[in-house]
Amino acid sequence: MSGRIERIWIKRMKRGPMDPVSEAELVAGKGLEGNANRAGRRQVTLLEWERWEEIVGGLGARLDPAARRANILLDGVTLAESRGRVLALGETRLRIMGETKPCERMEEALPGLEEALWPDWGGGAFAVVEAGGRIAVGSEARWVEEE
C-alpha cells in the first residue's frame, strides 16, 4: 500500500516559522536542504495526516498540521512502530530512526495537544536520509521491504 506527500515545510532557523514549499531537496546523510536542523539521527521529521486529524479532532479543534513543526506530512502511510524501516519518497529513501515526542510548543499551539500526541507515535517519526534527491507534494510514499 502506498500513500503520498501531502505537504513539505522547511524551518530555516531554530524556533522559526515553518515555510511551506511545493518541492525540496533531500541530501543523503544531512536532511532537507535549507532546513535548520540537519545531520545527526533527526535529519527529517514526518507526520501522519490521518493521525493528526484524529488527535486534533479528539480535542474538539481544527489546527493546521504546520503547528506540529514536522518537515513532511504524509497521507496514507502509517508511521506507528516503524523504527528501522525504510520509507521511499519518490526516488529518495529515509530510514526511520524513532518516534518524535511532542514538546511544550504543542501546548502553545493547542491546550491538551502535547499530552494527546504522546501515545502511539502521534507526534510522528524522525529519519535519516539514506538516498537523496528531489521530493514534491504529491510524490508517492511507500514502505520498502528489505531482503
PDB file of all heavy atoms in Angstrom, residues 1 3 10 13-14 16 33 39 42 44 70 75 81-82 103 107 112 121 130 132 134 147:
ATOM      1  N   MET A   1       0.840  -1.178   0.000  1.00  0.00           N
ATOM      2  CA  MET A   1       0.000   0.000   0.000  1.00  0.00           C
ATOM      3  C   MET A   1       0.887   1.243   0.000  1.00  0.00           C
ATOM      4  O   MET A   1       1.899   1.288   0.675  1.00  0.00           O
ATOM      5  CB  MET A   1      -0.882  -0.020   1.245  1.00  0.00           C
ATOM      6  CG  MET A   1      -1.831   1.143   1.299  1.00  0.00           C
ATOM      7  SD  MET A   1      -3.154   0.849   2.487  1.00  0.00           S
ATOM      8  CE  MET A   1      -2.776   2.110   3.665  1.00  0.00           C
ATOM      9  N   GLY A   3       1.130   5.711  -0.157  1.00  0.00           N
ATOM     10  CA  GLY A   3       0.480   6.979   0.126  1.00  0.00           C
ATOM     11  C   GLY A   3       1.153   8.062  -0.685  1.00  0.00           C
ATOM     12  O   GLY A   3       1.727   7.785  -1.739  1.00  0.00           O
ATOM     13  N   ILE A  10       9.923  23.716   5.417  1.00  0.00           N
ATOM     14  CA  ILE A  10      11.326  23.933   5.766  1.00  0.00           C
ATOM     15  C   ILE A  10      11.376  24.967   6.881  1.00  0.00           C
ATOM     16  O   ILE A  10      10.760  26.032   6.781  1.00  0.00           O
ATOM     17  CB  ILE A  10      12.149  24.397   4.544  1.00  0.00           C
ATOM     18  CG1 ILE A  10      12.177  23.266   3.507  1.00  0.00           C
ATOM     19  CG2 ILE A  10      13.561  24.813   4.962  1.00  0.00           C
ATOM     20  CD1 ILE A  10      12.878  23.612   2.221  1.00  0.00           C
ATOM     21  N   MET A  13      15.330  28.457  10.557  1.00  0.00           N
ATOM     22  CA  MET A  13      16.093  28.730  11.777  1.00  0.00           C
ATOM     23  C   MET A  13      15.373  28.103  12.960  1.00  0.00           C
ATOM     24  O   MET A  13      14.165  27.891  12.910  1.00  0.00           O
ATOM     25  CB  MET A  13      16.275  30.230  11.985  1.00  0.00           C
ATOM     26  CG  MET A  13      15.018  30.991  12.175  1.00  0.00           C
ATOM     27  SD  MET A  13      15.383  32.744  12.319  1.00  0.00           S
ATOM     28  CE  MET A  13      13.737  33.399  12.310  1.00  0.00           C
ATOM     29  N   LYS A  14      16.127  27.789  14.004  1.00  0.00           N
ATOM     30  CA  LYS A  14      15.537  27.176  15.189  1.00  0.00           C
ATOM     31  C   LYS A  14      14.449  28.081  15.752  1.00  0.00           C
ATOM     32  O   LYS A  14      14.626  29.288  15.836  1.00  0.00           O
ATOM     33  CB  LYS A  14      16.612  26.897  16.239  1.00  0.00           C
ATOM     34  CG  LYS A  14      17.551  25.816  15.766  1.00  0.00           C
ATOM     35  CD  LYS A  14      18.545  25.426  16.798  1.00  0.00           C
ATOM     36  CE  LYS A  14      19.415  24.347  16.158  1.00  0.00           C
ATOM     37  NZ  LYS A  14      20.252  23.665  17.033  1.00  0.00           N
ATOM     38  N   GLY A  16      12.005  29.016  14.322  1.00  0.00           N
ATOM     39  CA  GLY A  16      11.488  29.858  13.250  1.00  0.00           C
ATOM     40  C   GLY A  16      10.204  29.311  12.659  1.00  0.00           C
ATOM     41  O   GLY A  16       9.757  28.216  13.005  1.00  0.00           O
ATOM     42  N   GLU A  33      17.519  20.222   2.403  1.00  0.00           N
ATOM     43  CA  GLU A  33      18.330  21.391   2.033  1.00  0.00           C
ATOM     44  C   GLU A  33      17.652  22.652   2.553  1.00  0.00           C
ATOM     45  O   GLU A  33      16.461  22.860   2.358  1.00  0.00           O
ATOM     46  CB  GLU A  33      18.481  21.459   0.511  1.00  0.00           C
ATOM     47  CG  GLU A  33      19.414  22.539   0.036  1.00  0.00           C
ATOM     48  CD  GLU A  33      20.860  22.259   0.421  1.00  0.00           C
ATOM     49  OE1 GLU A  33      21.306  21.110   0.278  1.00  0.00           O
ATOM     50  OE2 GLU A  33      21.530  23.206   0.858  1.00  0.00           O
ATOM     51  N   ALA A  39      21.607  16.848   9.854  1.00  0.00           N
ATOM     52  CA  ALA A  39      22.596  15.864  10.317  1.00  0.00           C
ATOM     53  C   ALA A  39      22.087  15.147  11.567  1.00  0.00           C
ATOM     54  O   ALA A  39      20.950  15.320  11.980  1.00  0.00           O
ATOM     55  CB  ALA A  39      23.956  16.497  10.516  1.00  0.00           C
ATOM     56  N   ARG A  42      18.201  12.868  13.476  1.00  0.00           N
ATOM     57  CA  ARG A  42      16.905  13.523  13.256  1.00  0.00           C
ATOM     58  C   ARG A  42      17.020  14.501  12.083  1.00  0.00           C
ATOM     59  O   ARG A  42      16.842  15.704  12.227  1.00  0.00           O
ATOM     60  CB  ARG A  42      16.500  14.246  14.537  1.00  0.00           C
ATOM     61  CG  ARG A  42      15.087  14.694  14.544  1.00  0.00           C
ATOM     62  CD  ARG A  42      14.732  15.226  15.916  1.00  0.00           C
ATOM     63  NE  ARG A  42      13.492  15.973  15.848  1.00  0.00           N
ATOM     64  CZ  ARG A  42      12.691  16.166  16.852  1.00  0.00           C
ATOM     65  NH1 ARG A  42      12.999  15.684  18.029  1.00  0.00           N
ATOM     66  NH2 ARG A  42      11.595  16.843  16.706  1.00  0.00           N
ATOM     67  N   VAL A  44      15.170  14.477   9.238  1.00  0.00           N
ATOM     68  CA  VAL A  44      13.856  14.803   8.678  1.00  0.00           C
ATOM     69  C   VAL A  44      12.801  14.339   9.675  1.00  0.00           C
ATOM     70  O   VAL A  44      12.924  13.261  10.253  1.00  0.00           O
ATOM     71  CB  VAL A  44      13.630  14.077   7.330  1.00  0.00           C
ATOM     72  CG1 VAL A  44      12.256  14.382   6.762  1.00  0.00           C
ATOM     73  CG2 VAL A  44      14.704  14.436   6.327  1.00  0.00           C
ATOM     74  N   ALA A  70       6.699  19.527  11.842  1.00  0.00           N
ATOM     75  CA  ALA A  70       7.369  18.443  11.124  1.00  0.00           C
ATOM     76  C   ALA A  70       7.742  18.943   9.728  1.00  0.00           C
ATOM     77  O   ALA A  70       7.211  19.949   9.257  1.00  0.00           O
ATOM     78  CB  ALA A  70       6.447  17.233  11.018  1.00  0.00           C
ATOM     79  N   ASP A  75       0.156  11.283   3.696  1.00  0.00           N
ATOM     80  CA  ASP A  75      -1.220  10.802   3.626  1.00  0.00           C
ATOM     81  C   ASP A  75      -1.179   9.345   3.190  1.00  0.00           C
ATOM     82  O   ASP A  75      -0.510   9.001   2.218  1.00  0.00           O
ATOM     83  CB  ASP A  75      -2.002  11.644   2.613  1.00  0.00           C
ATOM     84  CG  ASP A  75      -3.480  11.319   2.586  1.00  0.00           C
ATOM     85  OD1 ASP A  75      -3.988  10.686   3.525  1.00  0.00           O
ATOM     86  OD2 ASP A  75      -4.136  11.709   1.602  1.00  0.00           O
ATOM     87  N   GLU A  81       5.229   2.311  15.055  1.00  0.00           N
ATOM     88  CA  GLU A  81       6.104   1.127  15.135  1.00  0.00           C
ATOM     89  C   GLU A  81       6.950   0.917  13.877  1.00  0.00           C
ATOM     90  O   GLU A  81       7.197  -0.206  13.469  1.00  0.00           O
ATOM     91  CB  GLU A  81       5.273  -0.136  15.427  1.00  0.00           C
ATOM     92  CG  GLU A  81       4.396  -0.036  16.653  1.00  0.00           C
ATOM     93  CD  GLU A  81       5.142   0.289  17.940  1.00  0.00           C
ATOM     94  OE1 GLU A  81       6.314  -0.132  18.103  1.00  0.00           O
ATOM     95  OE2 GLU A  81       4.563   0.992  18.790  1.00  0.00           O
ATOM     96  N   SER A  82       7.384   2.005  13.257  1.00  0.00           N
ATOM     97  CA  SER A  82       8.151   1.903  12.003  1.00  0.00           C
ATOM     98  C   SER A  82       9.665   2.027  12.196  1.00  0.00           C
ATOM     99  O   SER A  82      10.402   2.044  11.213  1.00  0.00           O
ATOM    100  CB  SER A  82       7.672   2.965  11.016  1.00  0.00           C
ATOM    101  OG  SER A  82       7.865   4.270  11.542  1.00  0.00           O
ATOM    102  N   CYS A 103       6.675  18.367  22.325  1.00  0.00           N
ATOM    103  CA  CYS A 103       7.272  19.274  23.315  1.00  0.00           C
ATOM    104  C   CYS A 103       6.244  20.316  23.741  1.00  0.00           C
ATOM    105  O   CYS A 103       5.108  20.330  23.253  1.00  0.00           O
ATOM    106  CB  CYS A 103       8.508  19.946  22.730  1.00  0.00           C
ATOM    107  SG  CYS A 103       8.126  21.087  21.375  1.00  0.00           S
ATOM    108  N   GLU A 107       1.662  22.540  23.292  1.00  0.00           N
ATOM    109  CA  GLU A 107       0.706  23.095  24.251  1.00  0.00           C
ATOM    110  C   GLU A 107       0.414  24.556  23.919  1.00  0.00           C
ATOM    111  O   GLU A 107      -0.708  25.024  24.102  1.00  0.00           O
ATOM    112  CB  GLU A 107       1.264  22.957  25.671  1.00  0.00           C
ATOM    113  CG  GLU A 107       0.235  22.892  26.739  1.00  0.00           C
ATOM    114  CD  GLU A 107      -0.759  21.749  26.598  1.00  0.00           C
ATOM    115  OE1 GLU A 107      -0.459  20.701  25.988  1.00  0.00           O
ATOM    116  OE2 GLU A 107      -1.878  21.920  27.102  1.00  0.00           O
ATOM    117  N   GLY A 112      -3.757  20.878  25.594  1.00  0.00           N
ATOM    118  CA  GLY A 112      -4.019  19.449  25.600  1.00  0.00           C
ATOM    119  C   GLY A 112      -3.325  18.683  24.483  1.00  0.00           C
ATOM    120  O   GLY A 112      -3.273  17.455  24.502  1.00  0.00           O
ATOM    121  N   TRP A 121       2.819   6.967  18.627  1.00  0.00           N
ATOM    122  CA  TRP A 121       3.505   7.705  17.565  1.00  0.00           C
ATOM    123  C   TRP A 121       2.683   8.893  17.043  1.00  0.00           C
ATOM    124  O   TRP A 121       2.800   9.287  15.892  1.00  0.00           O
ATOM    125  CB  TRP A 121       3.887   6.779  16.410  1.00  0.00           C
ATOM    126  CG  TRP A 121       4.913   5.746  16.764  1.00  0.00           C
ATOM    127  CD1 TRP A 121       4.799   4.762  17.704  1.00  0.00           C
ATOM    128  CD2 TRP A 121       6.201   5.577  16.189  1.00  0.00           C
ATOM    129  NE1 TRP A 121       5.942   3.998  17.750  1.00  0.00           N
ATOM    130  CE2 TRP A 121       6.810   4.473  16.814  1.00  0.00           C
ATOM    131  CE3 TRP A 121       6.894   6.249  15.189  1.00  0.00           C
ATOM    132  CZ2 TRP A 121       8.078   4.029  16.490  1.00  0.00           C
ATOM    133  CZ3 TRP A 121       8.161   5.804  14.852  1.00  0.00           C
ATOM    134  CH2 TRP A 121       8.745   4.702  15.509  1.00  0.00           C
ATOM    135  N   GLU A 130      18.931   8.237   3.554  1.00  0.00           N
ATOM    136  CA  GLU A 130      19.893   7.262   3.021  1.00  0.00           C
ATOM    137  C   GLU A 130      20.173   7.497   1.545  1.00  0.00           C
ATOM    138  O   GLU A 130      21.288   7.272   1.092  1.00  0.00           O
ATOM    139  CB  GLU A 130      19.392   5.839   3.258  1.00  0.00           C
ATOM    140  CG  GLU A 130      19.415   5.474   4.721  1.00  0.00           C
ATOM    141  CD  GLU A 130      19.180   3.999   4.968  1.00  0.00           C
ATOM    142  OE1 GLU A 130      18.648   3.287   4.083  1.00  0.00           O
ATOM    143  OE2 GLU A 130      19.540   3.543   6.069  1.00  0.00           O
ATOM    144  N   GLY A 132      19.359  10.528  -1.299  1.00  0.00           N
ATOM    145  CA  GLY A 132      18.791  11.853  -1.510  1.00  0.00           C
ATOM    146  C   GLY A 132      18.164  12.029  -2.873  1.00  0.00           C
ATOM    147  O   GLY A 132      18.180  11.130  -3.712  1.00  0.00           O
ATOM    148  N   ARG A 134      15.179  14.830  -5.183  1.00  0.00           N
ATOM    149  CA  ARG A 134      14.097  15.807  -5.161  1.00  0.00           C
ATOM    150  C   ARG A 134      12.790  15.136  -4.737  1.00  0.00           C
ATOM    151  O   ARG A 134      12.471  14.047  -5.215  1.00  0.00           O
ATOM    152  CB  ARG A 134      13.941  16.391  -6.567  1.00  0.00           C
ATOM    153  CG  ARG A 134      13.309  17.730  -6.588  1.00  0.00           C
ATOM    154  CD  ARG A 134      14.415  18.793  -6.587  1.00  0.00           C
ATOM    155  NE  ARG A 134      13.838  20.108  -6.530  1.00  0.00           N
ATOM    156  CZ  ARG A 134      14.202  21.012  -5.650  1.00  0.00           C
ATOM    157  NH1 ARG A 134      15.144  20.772  -4.786  1.00  0.00           N
ATOM    158  NH2 ARG A 134      13.662  22.193  -5.648  1.00  0.00           N
ATOM    159  N   GLU A 147      15.404  -7.090   2.020  1.00  0.00           N
ATOM    160  CA  GLU A 147      15.675  -8.531   1.973  1.00  0.00           C
ATOM    161  C   GLU A 147      16.751  -8.889   2.958  1.00  0.00           C
ATOM    162  O   GLU A 147      17.574  -8.149   3.340  1.00  0.00           O
ATOM    163  CB  GLU A 147      16.119  -8.911   0.562  1.00  0.00           C
ATOM    164  CG  GLU A 147      15.041  -8.578  -0.435  1.00  0.00           C
ATOM    165  CD  GLU A 147      15.521  -8.709  -1.868  1.00  0.00           C
ATOM    166  OE1 GLU A 147      16.687  -9.036  -2.115  1.00  0.00           O
ATOM    167  OE2 GLU A 147      14.700  -8.481  -2.751  1.00  0.00           O
TER     168      GLU A 147
END
